[in-house]
Every structure is written in C-alpha cells, then in structure tokens.
Amino acid sequence: MIALATRLLGRLPIGWLQLTHRRGRFLAAILGVGFANLLVFMQLGFMGALTSTVGLPYAALDADILIQAPDANTLTDGSPLPRQRMLDALAVPGVAAAAPVLMGKLEWRSADGSARSLDVMGVDPRLPSLRALKGRRDVLTLPGAAFIDRATRNVPPEIFDALDAGTPQRFEFQGRTLTLHGSFTIGGSFSGDGWLVMSDQSLVSLFPNRSLRAPNIILVRATPGQDVAALAARINAALPGLDAVARPIATALARDQAFQTTQRPVGIIFGMGVLMGALVGIIIVYQVLSSDVADHLREYATMKAMGYRQGFFLGIIMEQAVVLASLGFIPGSLMAYGLYALLTAVTGIDVLMPPERLLGVFLGTVVMCVASGALATRRLARADPAELF
C-alpha cells in the first residue's frame, strides 16, 4: 500500500503515516468527521422529506393549472375564491375542464383515544379532481361519504382491511357521522397525518363557516397539446380583479416548496442544521491537523531549512485532509442510511438517500477538510527554522 501511494504521490505518504502513527487520535478524527457527516445527512434528509411531502398532494391532483388567491403560499392556505373564477377560466380557449376544491382540517380521534390530524378536500363529485378517484366519484354523492388516505399515519390496519373487503367504516366528528367507503394514497406530511376526501356538500356540513360559493382552489385541465404556461397567462388575463391568480401545477409546487424551506421555521431550522454540521466538521478536522502540525513542527522546520518549500508541507496536510474526508464519510453515510430507514418506518414519511446527495456530501466533506488543512498550515508558514532551534 505504501509503495502504491509512493507511486501516486511521487514521495512517501507522509500524511498517511503521521495520521496512523497515533491510532487513537486517528480513530477519533474519523469518527468526528463521520459525526459531522451524519449531522449534515440528517438535516438534508429532513429537508428532502419536507419538499417531497409537499409535492405529494400536487401529484394527486387531476389538473394542469391551479387557481388560488394571491395570498396563498401553500396548497391549503390562502383566502377563499369566488366560484365565479371557475366560470371565468372555462371561458378561456384551451381550457378543457375546471373544478372547485374546498380545504379543511379535522382531528380524528379513535376509540382508543389516539388522534390524527387530517387535511380534508371537498370536491364536486360531478367533476374530475383527484386521479385516484376516477370511476369512484359517484360514491361521494352519498351523505357523509368519504375516502381516506391509505398512507395516513397510525390508522389501525383492520380499517383498511375492512374497506378492501367492501365494509364501510364510520366515525364521528363534531356530532356528525362520516362513512369511509374506500381509500386512495397520497401520504402524510410535516403538518398532517394524511388526507380525507369527501364531497364539497359534506365538507360544508362539517364546517358551517364554509360556503360552496367560496372554494380554496380551482383545478384547471388544459386541452391536449396546449402550452400550459401560456394557457395560465391567458387565464390570468381573463380573470377580473386581483382576487385570483393562475399558475401551472409545477410553478405552484415550486413556490410551495420554496416557502416551506425558506420561510417556515421548520425549513429554516433544517437549513441551519446543515451549516452547523459543516461547522462541526471543520472544527474537528482543524483541531486534528493543527495538533499534528504542532507535534511535528521541529521536523517540518528541519525540512524547511533543507530547502523544502511551503507547497510540499501543504501537500502533506492536504493528503491528511483527503484521507480523513474519505474514511470519515464511510461511517457517516452508513449511519445515515440506517437512521433514514428507521425514520421512514416510524413516521411514515419517506426519508430517501438519492445518489446526488451522497456525492454532494462527499465533495462537501473533502472541501471542508481541505479548508481546515489550509488553516492548519498557517502556523507552519510563519515558522522560522532558526527560532525553533
């Protein structure tokens, strides 16, 4: 191994030999870099889970364009819209269909006392709204009929078994009975455990302050072959006043994700966590490399007196930095994989490890360690061999 490193470096692998000379310190340094990696991986995993869960309901919508109030930052907030805006959109050439959707939120308590926070969509059963409801919308015309998200957290499996067997399930909310007739799949988020879909009539009966004349969003489907962005611009030109804005679904999703990650506290916390993980790694590696420089300062001074230039010593420290980055990345990434799987199983939210995240964190770790190494060589650059002896 030393012979191979000598060929690659054109010299003895001095950095490697110095790191491994004190194995306890070497192991501690690797674990420190791995811990910093783990911190970064976890924060990036949380951030990725946040953005992916934001996109789940958008993917379920049977629409190309979303009309919302101008003050809407997410799919579920924003002021109600006049239902007339649906008719305004339908009058625009290129629009194939439009459907109003009301939004709500309810707490579902089971007989065992456990509670689930459900986001609720109230849809017009006569109009397409969710892709998963194709062929089943007529069921929602029954009073109190609803479909539940199969990915809802902490729902007893026997409820879905009964629904699969064709047995409706009933539960009470605010003195009214809701009957589950089937399921679909969207998935929970950081703000809710799952989704419930019912008719707009049923939603208004549950939330008396809501009105069929004031939906939260309007879904628009374009005719085949339409440029969705251009169609959204034409709809905006046709909408009177300043109470509604039309956006392609992809644009609305991007705005929602940006809002969640840069303006909501949870997104800001995850972003700060990434910075803190990188800072921890820089401090750990700097301490290790600066200690190594201090321990061998006399030897380095002797070599400086013999004519070795600063670049030679910088190469040794960079060698150590790359070794620590590479070996520290392995335990950090393995621990992250394990914790990702655990979080997915416990929360029901997919925390995934895309290949680009692995590559990005590895390259960031190398940069972090190299930066620490560059800082650690400053003392050596200022050292005068005559003074040291």
Side-chain angles (χ1 to χ4, degrees):
M1 181 176 179
I2 294 178
L4 177 61
T6 302
R7 279 191 174 187
L8 293 174
L9 298 174
R11 58 170 171 78
L12 280 173
I14 300 173
W16 167 262
L17 294 173
Q18 288 184 176
L19 283 174
T20 56
H21 178 66
R22 294 189 176 183
R23 296 185 179 180
R25 180 190 289 181
F26 183 42
L27 179 60
I30 290 175
L31 293 178
V33 175
F35 177 69
N37 271 195
L38 180 61
L39 288 178
V40 173
F41 270 125
M42 295 311 298
Q43 299 304 318
L44 290 176
F46 294 148
M47 186 76 78
L50 175 62
T51 56
S52 65
T53 57
V54 168
L56 294 176
Y58 285 90
L61 298 175
D62 189 7
D64 302 300
I65 294 171
L66 195 64
I67 300 179
Q68 296 175 287
D71 61 357
N73 294 306
T74 71
L75 187 64
T76 57
D77 68 3
S79 303
L81 300 168
R83 192 182 179 95
Q84 176 63 34
R85 299 298 168 256
M86 180 182 72
L87 303 179
D88 295 333
L90 285 170
V92 176
V95 172
V101 178
L102 282 75
M103 294 288 187
K105 203 171 190 71
L106 63 81
E107 295 292 326
W108 173 24
R109 290 194 173 273
S110 299
D112 61 3
S114 61
R116 293 151 205 88
S117 177
L118 298 177
D119 291 298
V120 185
M121 288 189 195
V123 302
D124 188 332
R126 299 167 300 176
L127 301 171
S129 52
L130 293 180
R131 293 186 173 90
L133 299 185
K134 286 183 178 179
R136 299 190 293 167
R137 297 199 309 267
D138 291 345
V139 177
L140 296 180
T141 60
L142 300 173
F147 291 101
I148 188 171
D149 182 1
R150 182 175 286 273
T152 300
R153 290 190 284 269
N154 301 322
V155 175
E158 52 267 24
I159 290 181
F160 294 113
D161 293 339
L163 292 176
D164 292 340
T167 305
Q169 301 293 297
R170 294 176 175 82
F171 70 95
E172 298 292 325
F173 176 71
Q174 293 185 351
R176 297 184 180 274
T177 300
L178 290 179
T179 305
L180 302 179
H181 287 270
S183 65
F184 61 98
T185 301
I186 292 182
S189 66
F190 281 68
S191 60
D193 295 312
W195 289 83
L196 199 67
V197 175
M198 60 185 69
S199 71
D200 47 8
Q201 296 277 0
S202 296
L203 187 144
V204 168
S205 69
L206 287 175
F207 303 94
N209 61 329
R210 302 304 308 277
S211 170
L212 295 175
R213 297 189 298 273
N216 291 92
I217 60 175
I218 296 170
L219 306 179
V220 177
R221 285 200 303 171
T223 56
Q226 286 289 323
D227 184 313
V228 174
L231 179 58
R234 293 201 299 272
I235 294 174
N236 282 321
L239 294 176
L242 300 174
D243 57 6
V245 59
R247 301 185 183 93
I249 288 287
T251 302
L253 170 58
R255 290 184 73 257
D256 194 337
Q257 290 174 329
F259 176 77
Q260 297 280 5
T261 55
T262 62
Q263 298 187 49
R264 282 281 176 86
V266 65
I268 296 173
I269 289 171
F270 293 157
M272 288 300 296
V274 174
L275 295 178
M276 290 302 297
L279 182 61
V280 168
I282 289 174
I283 293 173
I284 291 173
V285 176
Y286 173 76
Q287 289 294 332
V288 172
L289 296 183
S290 63
S291 297
D292 186 79
V293 170
D295 290 347
H296 299 90
L297 197 56
R298 289 183 177 274
E299 290 85 349
Y300 288 148
T302 300
M303 297 177 76
K304 287 185 72 173
M306 293 170 61
Y308 285 91
R309 297 184 179 277
Q310 180 66 16
F312 175 81
F313 304 106
L314 185 62
I316 293 174
I317 303 301
M318 293 302 105
E319 176 190 330
Q320 294 178 325
V322 172
V323 168
L324 291 176
S326 302
L327 296 183
F329 177 79
I330 296 173
S333 57
L334 291 178
M335 287 187 289
Y337 266 112
L339 289 176
Y340 279 16
L342 178 62
L343 286 171
T344 299
V346 172
T347 66
I349 295 176
D350 288 334
V351 186
L352 305 176
M353 181 73 80
E356 58 270 20
R357 182 177 302 160
L358 276 172
L359 179 61
V361 172
F362 175 70
L363 294 177
T365 303
V366 172
V367 171
M368 172 187 73
C369 292
V370 167
S372 300
L375 291 174
T377 59
R378 290 184 305 167
R379 182 180 178 185
L380 178 60
R382 296 193 301 266
D384 184 350
E387 292 181 0
L388 290 173
F389 292 99

